[in-house]
């Protein structure tokens, strides 16, 4: 197998020469070259196996045979665009509709999460005839110009904040402005959005949309406090705006108990627009915007066609349908619930023995383990988190990433076929690494 490929060093040299350096690699000092994958496992050029805790895109498992078969069959038959009638488009939209609340019944198909959020922004601005957007601090909604503008994670490092963009505090009850001792953090954080709306109105501006990930990921795998979204939606709607749920990372059953992570906020909350992407095509680039009849009608009323060359093509829709079938047939939501709960329980047990673990949060197979230097001060343990990630790769061939504003959160969002044994292995390896790191710190102290 290895002889069919370039040597790893050659690949790296060519990559350095040919690919923009802002496209970064995992493990940049010794990148991994992956040549094939199956389920939750990646294989390098020497056929060494890595356990993948990162790839939420490969939702039903890397290269799932049902998905690749559906893709190949449809590719052999026909691939056109949405200007021709085709069953796959309507059948897929209908299947997606059955996963969502009834009022989210109109769909636009696109090719990436960024395209979905850009279209959501256009829909919101067209429907409301307002311009301004409220976003959560540290949010990331995509790489297009319009989305850099509404992504504090990016614009803080780049072009600064646009006057039509307003940043609400991240409702993080571990290190945010209201913590777990706040009696009603959902209300307290929703009030911060209410205050922003009042400020915006004082400036004579108007809110088009509130954008939020249903579980802010770059923010550090944050679980929104109960009641937050319903209250924010009420304030935003009474200002004439709409609520956009970015489900690009969290949709399609990842949280286990529900198909969409916004549903964790209870039955009294329903967004006006939902954007989805990453897991939709199990690696094939498909994404989508779901919205209401009223919003779609307003978008049509401007008289301008919406055409997306690749969005919603028969191959993409065949793949999307196959992914939905696998989620159901293999009961992957139930698996995410069971294995995710076990993973969280095991980390909770680990927390009793390792002071560096400050917080464990998440739902289903979307879990964050926050490392801190000091439990009282909650100082982010950025270096230690990087060390854990590196050692897991080198010593155990387990791929884990970090996230959060200080890269201090170990992030688990593996393919949904991740099993109990995988969960136990990961926690056992982290236990060993943390024990070793603690012993080294103790030794260093003794040396002094
Ligand atoms: N929204 C969220 C929450 C994301 O995590 C991402 C990608 N990381 C995007 C939007 C953009 O998606 P894409 O990279 O497919 O354009």
């Amino acid at each position: 197998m290895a002889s069919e490929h370039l040597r790893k060093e050659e690949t790296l040299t060519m990559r350095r020469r040919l690919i923009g350096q802002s496209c970064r690699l995992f493990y940049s000092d010794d990148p991994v070259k992956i040549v094939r994958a199956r389920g939750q496992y990646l294989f390098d050029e020497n056929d060494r196996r890595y356990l993948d805790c990162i790839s939420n895109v490969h939702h039903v498992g890397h290269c799932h045979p049902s998905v690749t078969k559906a893709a190949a069959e449809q590719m052999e038959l026909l691939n056109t665009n949405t200007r021709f009638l085709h069953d796959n488009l309507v059948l897929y939209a209908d299947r997606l509709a059955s996963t969502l609340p009834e009022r989210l019944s109109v769909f636009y198909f696109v090719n990436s999460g960024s395209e979905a959020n850009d279209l959501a922004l256009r829909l919101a601005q067209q429907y409301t005839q307002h311009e301004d957007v409220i976003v959560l601090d540290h949010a990331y909604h995509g790489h297009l110009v319009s989305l850099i503008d509404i992504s504090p994670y990016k614009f803080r490092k780049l072009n600064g904040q646009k006057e039509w963009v307003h940043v609400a505090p991240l409702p993080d009850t571990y290190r945010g402005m209201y913590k777990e001792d706040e009696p009603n953090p959902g209300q307290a954080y929703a009030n911060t959005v209410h205050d922003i709306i009042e400020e915006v109105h004082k400036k004579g501006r108007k809110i088009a949309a509130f954008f939020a990930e249903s579980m802010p990921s770059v923010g550090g795998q944050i679980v929104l406090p109960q009641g937050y979204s319903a209250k924010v939606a009420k304030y935003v709607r009474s200002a004439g705006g709409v609520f956009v749920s970015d489900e690009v990372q969290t949709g399609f059953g990842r949280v286990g108990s529900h198909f969409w992570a916004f549903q964790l906020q209870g039955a009294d909350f329903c967004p006006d627009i939902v954007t989805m992407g990453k897991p939709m095509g199990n690696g094939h680039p498909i994404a989508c915007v779901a919205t209401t009849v009223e919003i779609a009608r307003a978008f049509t009323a401007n008289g301008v066609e919406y055409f997306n060359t690749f969005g919603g093509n028969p191959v993409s829709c065949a793949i999307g349908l196959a992914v939905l079938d696998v989620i159901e047939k293999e009961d992957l939501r139930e698996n995410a619930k069971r294995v995710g709960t076990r993973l969280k329980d095991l980390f909770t047990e680990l927390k009793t023995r390792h002071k560096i673990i400050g917080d464990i949060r998440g739902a289903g197979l979307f879990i964050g383990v926050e490392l801190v230097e000091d439990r009282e001060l909650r100082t982010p343990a950025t270096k230690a988190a990087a060390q854990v990630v590196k050692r897991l790769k080198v010593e155990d061939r387990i791929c884990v990433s970090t996230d959060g504003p200080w890269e201090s959160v170990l992030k688990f969002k593996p393919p949904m076929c991740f099993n109990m044994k995988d969960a136990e292995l990961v926690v056992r390896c982290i236990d060993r690494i943390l024990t070793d790191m603690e012993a080294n710190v103790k030794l260093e102290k003794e040396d002094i």
Side-chain angles (χ1 to χ4, degrees), residues 285-302:
I286 49 177
C288 180
V289 180
T291 191
T292 65
V293 169
E294 294 74 27
I295 294 174
R297 203 175 282 146
F299 194 57
T300 309
N302 70 10

Side-chain angles (χ1 to χ4, degrees), residues 143-444:
H143 56 78
L144 303 184
V145 173
S146 59
L147 306 170
I148 301 292
D149 283 348
I150 65 162
S151 298
Y153 166 66
K154 293 281 176 192
F155 74 61
R156 290 210 199 289
K157 294 180 200 157
L158 289 167
N159 52 352
Q161 191 168 341
K162 296 280 157 52
E163 59 176 358
W164 54 275
V165 177
H166 313 280
V167 180
L170 182 66
D172 171 358
T173 52
Y174 183 66
R175 53 170 76 256
M177 62 194 286
Y178 302 111
K179 301 205 168 47
E180 62 278 8
D181 54 356
E182 173 72 31
N184 187 349
Q187 181 66 64
Y189 278 110
N191 288 344
T192 66
V193 178
H194 188 263
D195 293 347
I196 289 173
I197 294 172
E198 288 198 335
E199 287 303 309
V200 171
H201 286 172
K202 272 187 209 151
K203 290 182 200 152
R205 309 188 63 93
K206 290 186 176 148
I207 301 296
F210 173 85
F211 267 74
E213 287 173 75
S214 300
M215 285 175 81
S217 180
V218 175
Q221 308 291 92
I222 305 298
V223 180
L224 300 177
Q226 273 310 309
Y228 176 77
S229 300
K231 291 192 173 79
V232 169
K234 190 170 134 218
Y235 301 146
V236 169
R237 284 175 191 146
S238 58
V242 299
F243 193 117
V244 182
S245 288
D246 181 335
E247 289 270 349
V248 168
Q249 292 230 16
T250 51
F252 294 84
R254 176 148 296 276
V255 300
S257 57
H258 299 83
F259 200 87
W260 301 101
F262 73 75
Q263 294 169 319
L264 292 169
Q265 286 279 299
D268 60 338
F269 169 65
C270 178
D272 304 297
I273 299 176
V274 172
T275 59
M276 49 191 97
K278 287 183 190 288
M280 245 181 125
N282 212 46
H284 181 82
I286 49 177
C288 180
V289 180
T291 191
T292 65
V293 169
E294 294 74 27
I295 294 174
R297 203 175 282 146
F299 194 57
T300 309
N302 70 10
V304 177
E305 178 188 13
Y306 181 76
F307 177 63
N308 190 316
T309 302
F310 300 119
N313 70 65
V315 171
S316 293
C317 292
I319 290 172
L321 279 162
V323 169
L324 292 179
D325 284 342
V326 177
I327 294 172
E328 272 175 30
K329 273 193 202 133
E330 298 185 7
D331 210 1
L332 291 179
R333 261 178 63 195
E334 183 56 30
N335 188 62
K337 202 158 84 181
R338 260 179 344 108
V339 179
T341 303
R342 175 87 175 127
L343 194 56
K344 257 168 86 175
D345 288 348
L346 289 170
F347 279 127
T348 305
E349 193 276 322
L350 219 57
K351 189 179 167 195
T352 63
R353 288 185 285 114
H354 298 289
K355 280 200 305 224
I356 196 169
I357 298 181
D359 193 34
I360 297 142
R361 51 185 178 254
L365 282 172
F366 199 72
I367 293 173
V369 177
E370 172 128 23
L371 302 188
V372 289
E373 285 172 5
D374 180 311
R375 272 199 188 162
E376 289 298 305
L377 301 173
R378 303 187 176 183
T379 330
T382 306
K383 268 195 198 152
Q387 245 179 312
V388 171
V389 165
K390 186 171 174 177
R391 290 186 60 169
L392 280 171
K393 176 236 177 188
V394 174
E395 296 167 22
D396 304 293
R397 293 200 199 111
I398 296 175
C399 296
V400 173
S401 58
T402 57
D403 222 325
W406 295 274
E407 297 291 343
S408 53
V409 183
L410 300 173
K411 185 169 165 175
F412 299 88
K413 48 185 177 69
M416 298 269 285
C417 48
F418 201 74
N419 63 34
M420 289 293 185
K421 277 198 173 138
D422 299 323
E424 284 156 13
L425 174 72
V426 168
V427 177
R428 209 165 50 239
C429 294
I430 291 180
D431 187 14
R432 189 199 73 242
I433 291 169
L434 292 181
T435 306
D436 189 49
M437 282 164 62
E438 283 152 8
N440 286 342
V441 170
K442 211 165 141 220
L443 278 179
E444 276 168 30

